Amino acid sequence: MKKLLMDDIPDGFIERQMNDSRYISKYMKGLLSNIVREKLPNGEYEQEAVSKNLISCNGSITDRLKKDWGMNDVWNRIVLPRFQRLNKLTGKDCFTAFTPEGHEIPAMPLELQKGFNKKRIDHRHHAMDAIVIACTTRDHVNLLNNEAAHSKKHDKSYRYDLQSKLRRKDEEGHYQEFLIPWNSFATDTKQALENIIVSFKQNLRVVNRTTNYYESYKDENGNLRIGKNGKPEKGFIKQEKSDSWAIRKPMHKDTVFGEVNLRFTKEVSLNEALNNPKDIVNKDFKQMVLKLLAQGCDAKYIKKYVDENNEVWSDINLKKIAVYYYTKDIKDENGNVKERYFATRKPLDTSFNKKKIEESVTDTGIQKILLAHLDAKGGDSELAFSPDGIDELNRNIVALNNDKFHQPIQKVRVYEKAEKFAVGQKGNKSSKFVEAAKGTNLFFAVFVFEKLNKETGEMDKVRSYLTIPLNVMIDCQKKFGKDWKNNIESYLKDNKLVSDEVKLLFILSPNDLVYLPTKEELKIGVKVLDKKRIYKVVSFTGSRLYAILYQVAKSVVDKVEFTQLNKVEFTDTKDSVKETCIPIKVDRLGNVIEVNGKKP
């Protein structure tokens, strides 16, 4: 049978998804009914499949009640500041509009309206739906379901008893919108929504113990396992030896790199060049310097010699002598290599322009061949390194290499400066390096150290930051288990990932909530949390932390409202999130249970 694919992606649910949703709803009604069943006088509980204390309603009912109860106006007032902010950012006024009564409301330009849902941009719409559903009675559901059923039959026999109870009647006796649950319902709802702190579920399992089993003809005691038919049979035995760790995150990307020690050039003074005279680039000058040093001459004599023979050494600037250096020789204060480079083989393609060839290809001989071929094609990499261009390169490779033989080039080794880690610790795995997979930056450590303020003469507390690599955290958690938080600081210092002078303040993870204290709160302490200064951590890399206001579910305009990354490092008042933030914890109901490690 020939299967036809849909021409367009459907906007709503397809029939299969609708059936799945119906089944899930029916199943959930049965589970929830077990919680709210009413106890009968005889001591037993209701036996019906669905308890009478459980009311189910569909989205059309809540939409109708939200409209009649003024919830749409409440939502407009809650999200309006974001649209007003967009007007300021874009210098336009197309993101707000005015009602006939003169009220400012959110609006979207026509070109951005497709697929936009004003409700979905803020996490608090779930709470608003919950408030409406909590105030919905069985009478509301019965009346609206009755109206929907009779409207299809064009039958006007509505439930007048329920309408009189639930709806407002105008002067002409016609039933209008539903009566609000109480007089200050809209005001109370807005206040409740503004005071809600959204909680986010955390699932940060990195490593945990696991139980492995393997098949064997022998049992746990080493005896042969005999089946009912008298023949040996296999069975499962629990693994007792070796480590049994389960890693719950991807360890690294697929590409494997090798660390390289690259030779670059830099310009130094004569005195510094004489520390390693063999690294001087100019061969003639190097030979002269080595000869004079062998005769016992010092830097002062060499400078005088060059000045006296200025005609011979006119191209030598003694203040800027080009010397070679190797990347592994440059180390930081902790003795670690300051800039590490890693290389892997990649096939030639049209991305190899002049800059990429000069700055990333490790083999200088291959560099010259590729650059010569690129120059022959007018610097057009699309033409030079297309499949036909690569064939032409290899046909003319001898001419491009100054009439010297060279093997055909299909792949080249390219390098990059990055932080990578070894695949393993034994054998050749220790020399194979990989980089962290996307989404595995899970821990951001914030440290503090004291630094002298030259203006005041006092010691100021300054923060420093580190994104803890996944492989480091795995090793730490394997070593210390559940007590890793109390040992992570000493572990990082022992492995020289941070200096001994810093002190760990706290560790953040994606979806954690942080609070940005004001200058006054930094002095006297946080008394009451300002909800407008609560942010959710989104991601981090290196020493950079990205966050977003806790209630934001989606950008109103992609890559416009909150930078190109849809997240921010700085607030609208140019305050750095990472510089002043303190962690806060909330329970699943949104109640603050901890501020900066202390109970409020």
Side-chain angles (χ1 to χ4, degrees), residues 495-545:
N495 287 273
K496 297 183 179 181
L497 292 172
V498 295
S499 64
D500 293 332
E501 290 75 24
V502 301
K503 179 182 178 182
L504 180 66
L505 287 180
F506 50 84
I507 294 178
L508 298 174
S509 296
N511 286 342
D512 279 352
L513 295 179
V514 294
Y515 179 72
L516 274 58
T518 61
K519 292 181 179 179
E520 185 178 352
E521 288 175 327
L522 288 172
K523 295 178 181 179
I524 64 174
V526 179
K527 303 297 183 182
V528 180
L529 293 181
D530 180 2
K531 307 297 189 301
K532 296 179 181 178
R533 301 182 68 83
I534 298 177
Y535 283 75
K536 181 189 75 168
V537 176
V538 178
S539 63
F540 32 80
T541 178
S543 60
R544 304 180 71 176
L545 172 71

Side-chain angles (χ1 to χ4, degrees), residues 433-590:
F433 293 84
V434 290
E435 60 181 310
K438 186 177 181 181
T440 57
N441 285 346
L442 302 176
F443 300 94
F444 185 78
V446 180
F447 302 91
V448 67
F449 64 95
E450 291 187 343
K451 184 179 181 181
L452 178 65
N453 189 324
K454 295 181 179 180
E455 295 181 358
T456 62
E458 298 179 353
M459 301 298 289
D460 292 340
K461 290 186 176 181
V462 182
R463 287 187 174 186
S464 62
Y465 314 93
L466 172 69
T467 296
I468 304 176
L470 179 65
N471 62 302
V472 172
M473 185 56 67
I474 290 172
D475 189 47
C476 180
Q477 291 194 16
K478 284 172 62 178
K479 188 174 181 180
F480 298 107
K482 294 182 179 180
D483 199 37
W484 68 268
K485 289 185 178 180
N486 297 325
N487 294 278
I488 184 66
E489 181 178 356
S490 59
Y491 179 88
L492 294 174
K493 290 179 179 179
D494 292 342
N495 287 273
K496 297 183 179 181
L497 292 172
V498 295
S499 64
D500 293 332
E501 290 75 24
V502 301
K503 179 182 178 182
L504 180 66
L505 287 180
F506 50 84
I507 294 178
L508 298 174
S509 296
N511 286 342
D512 279 352
L513 295 179
V514 294
Y515 179 72
L516 274 58
T518 61
K519 292 181 179 179
E520 185 178 352
E521 288 175 327
L522 288 172
K523 295 178 181 179
I524 64 174
V526 179
K527 303 297 183 182
V528 180
L529 293 181
D530 180 2
K531 307 297 189 301
K532 296 179 181 178
R533 301 182 68 83
I534 298 177
Y535 283 75
K536 181 189 75 168
V537 176
V538 178
S539 63
F540 32 80
T541 178
S543 60
R544 304 180 71 176
L545 172 71
Y546 298 94
I548 200 74
L549 285 166
Y550 74 97
Q551 72 270 23
V552 174
K554 185 180 179 182
S555 296
V556 176
V557 182
D558 187 40
K559 300 181 180 180
V560 174
E561 187 181 9
F562 301 109
T563 73
Q564 287 287 319
L565 300 174
N566 291 323
K567 49 191 176 183
V568 298
E569 289 184 88
F570 301 90
T571 66
D572 289 345
T573 55
K574 305 303 180 185
D575 295 326
S576 173
V577 175
K578 67 181 182 181
E579 288 290 343
T580 59
C581 71
I582 57 174
I584 63 173
K585 290 185 178 181
V586 299
D587 58 21
R588 295 299 289 154
L589 296 178

Side-chain angles (χ1 to χ4, degrees), residues 236-251:
F236 287 97
I237 299 178
K238 184 179 178 180
Q239 176 184 335
E240 299 292 347
K241 297 181 180 180
S242 187
D243 292 333
S244 299
W245 293 103
I247 309 300
R248 295 298 182 181
K249 298 292 179 182
M251 287 287 290

Side-chain angles (χ1 to χ4, degrees), residues 271-297:
N271 288 335
E272 190 173 347
L274 293 181
N275 292 331
N276 294 291
K278 293 182 179 180
D279 292 334
I280 296 174
V281 175
N282 189 305
K283 293 182 179 180
D284 295 333
F285 183 70
K286 177 172 65 175
Q287 293 298 328
M288 183 269 292
V289 168
L290 291 173
K291 183 178 179 181
L292 292 176
L293 289 174
Q295 296 174 4
C297 300

